């Protein structure tokens, strides 16, 4: 099992940037697909980006492509989400999540992937 803890959320004005971090602990030696999701109260959770712990190749939802960048630091067992040119529509609680690559599923930012490890979430608020 792996435990995930997000940090780095906060408030920013439109056009600004934030960098989220997700620290993993536990069984970090396995290969995982790690992803970022976001959710606005009363709405469905949206997948944002994903990356394998063993790769630099990342995938993004169309809504954030070109503005967000996911990266990983395996030395420190940490994943990051750099968010640039933020808009009020990016306001949400952001979650990091993971599932073992042994599941056989591709590492995609899609809700039907078996993400079964979740962090507690961090609030991002973008004002006009």
């Amino acid at each position: 099992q792996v435990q995930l803890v997000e940090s780095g959320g906060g408030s920013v004005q439109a056009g600004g940037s934030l960098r989220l971090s997700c620290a993993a602990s536990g069984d970090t030696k396995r290969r995982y697909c790690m992803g970022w999701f976001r959710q606005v109260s009363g709405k469905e959770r949206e997948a944002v980006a994903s990356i394998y712990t063993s790769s630099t190749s990342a995938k993004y939802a169309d809504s954030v492509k070109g503005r967000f960048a996911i990266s990983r630091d395996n030395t420190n067992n940490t994943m990051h989400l750099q968010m640039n040119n933020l808009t009020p529509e990016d306001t949400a609680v952001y979650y990091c999540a993971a599932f073992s690559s042994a599941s056989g599923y591709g590492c995609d930012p899609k809700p039907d992937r078996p993400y079964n490890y979740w962090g507690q979430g961090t609030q991002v608020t973008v004002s006009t």
Side-chain angles (χ1 to χ4, degrees), residues 26-108:
D27 187 9
T28 59
K29 299 302 182 184
R30 293 179 183 271
R31 182 175 183 240
Y32 292 94
C33 170
M34 299 193 72
W36 285 99
F37 289 74
R38 64 187 182 185
Q39 188 168 25
V40 177
S41 180
K43 295 188 177 181
E44 289 190 1
R45 187 165 53 200
E46 177 188 12
V48 173
S50 62
I51 190 170
Y52 275 119
T53 54
S54 58
S55 172
T56 57
S57 178
K59 296 181 180 180
Y60 300 92
D62 288 342
S63 58
V64 306
K65 201 171 293 183
R67 300 188 299 123
F68 289 14
I70 189 173
S71 62
R72 52 160 186 79
D73 176 359
N74 287 354
T75 300
N76 295 307
N77 294 320
T78 304
M79 176 178 66
H80 303 285
L81 185 68
Q82 178 66 42
M83 306 185 295
N84 299 324
N85 194 21
L86 286 161
T87 73
E89 288 69 37
D90 295 316
T91 295
V93 178
Y94 283 72
Y95 299 89
C96 69
F99 68 89
S100 171
S101 64
S103 70
Y105 285 86
C107 186
D108 301 293

